[in-house]
Amino acid sequence: MDFLITIVLWVLIILLVLMLLNEAIIRFIGDGIVNMKADEHTPFTVDEITQDSISLSTTINVANDGKQCLTIMDCYVRPLLPYEQFDGVKVEAKAELKGTPREDDYFEAVLIQKKENLDIVIRVKLIDRKNNDIKNTLTHMVDLPLDIVYQHVSRHPWEISKKTIVLTAEEIADLAGIKLAD
């Protein structure tokens, strides 16, 4: 029995040493550091406006500020507009690599080399829920927070991070060419 305890202790000690060695290596050679510059996104623009919907987009730069390559494995947009807050529109949103639009709304994993960057386009579509004119519906619009959720990895274990941008009711009104109701 003492023999088994000794073996288990040695295995635990070896695992601890390997973990500490891994941390030392990462600190010495560096890691990829993702910098999602959501606060510096481009102004939203109108992609399309129809009788019952308006499509908007903005671009966010993502930089690798680290010393190693990193991978963005997934990126999606979660609109935060509860039905109880405003039920006039249905919101659809997605993220795509600039210059590589996809019809299936899938974000294909992308590598960002050290000290390089790329752009991600955030697309938001507001669709009238009640078969009204979208411009009339948007006169009562509220601010629309958008969570940009992204999974990333480099030498460290994968992580999921998020940044939030807010598409204000005033911005939406300006883009739609309307005035908000009082």
Side-chain angles (χ1 to χ4, degrees):
M1 189 67 168
D2 288 340
F3 179 72
L4 285 175
I5 293 173
T6 304
I7 290 176
V8 168
L9 285 175
W10 274 109
V11 167
L12 289 174
I13 289 170
I14 290 170
L15 287 174
L16 180 63
V17 167
L18 288 174
M19 287 174 41
L20 292 173
L21 183 61
N22 184 49
E23 281 297 313
I25 289 170
I26 288 176
R27 289 184 191 275
F28 178 72
I29 65 172
D31 201 356
I33 300 170
V34 64
N35 182 2
M36 175 80 65
K37 300 176 184 178
D39 294 338
E40 301 171 17
H41 68 87
T42 62
F44 276 89
T45 58
V46 176
D47 294 335
E48 180 182 34
I49 189 162
T50 65
Q51 183 71 23
D52 68 343
S53 70
I54 185 169
S55 298
L56 311 169
S57 64
T58 186
T59 301
I60 297 175
N61 185 264
V62 182
N64 179 355
D65 293 339
K67 295 180 180 179
Q68 299 292 321
C69 179
L70 72 85
T71 304
I72 303 289
M73 295 179 289
D74 192 15
C75 184
Y76 60 91
V77 182
R78 182 167 185 255
L80 302 173
L81 184 63
Y83 194 77
E84 298 82 7
Q85 186 180 11
F86 184 68
D87 66 352
V89 295
K90 173 184 170 189
V91 182
E92 296 175 352
K94 68 178 182 175
E96 61 189 30
L97 189 60
K98 187 174 184 177
T100 314
R102 292 185 62 119
E103 293 299 319
D104 61 0
D105 297 341
Y106 178 80
F107 187 89
E108 188 173 348
V110 62
L111 296 174
I112 308 175
Q113 297 299 327
K114 62 183 179 180
K115 305 299 180 190
E116 291 187 5
N117 60 70
L118 55 81
D119 290 328
I120 293 177
V121 178
I122 305 301
R123 299 200 185 279
V124 180
K125 186 173 186 177
L126 306 174
I127 305 164
D128 186 87
R129 285 188 191 269
K130 300 174 183 172
N131 296 321
N132 294 323
D133 184 301
I134 190 68
K135 288 186 177 188
N136 186 41
T137 301
L138 292 178
T139 61
H140 300 284
M141 186 63 186
V142 296
D143 291 350
L144 174 59
L146 301 163
D147 277 352
I148 294 98
V149 182
Y150 52 102
Q151 183 180 12
H152 52 97
V153 68
S154 185
R155 291 194 177 276
H156 62 274
W158 66 269
E159 296 178 50
I160 293 180
S161 300
K162 126 182 135 164
K163 295 282 186 165
T164 302
I165 60 176
V166 178
L167 180 53
T168 66
E170 290 79 14
E171 284 178 283
I172 295 169
D174 286 345
L175 291 164
I178 60 167
K179 184 178 180 200
L180 292 173
D182 293 331

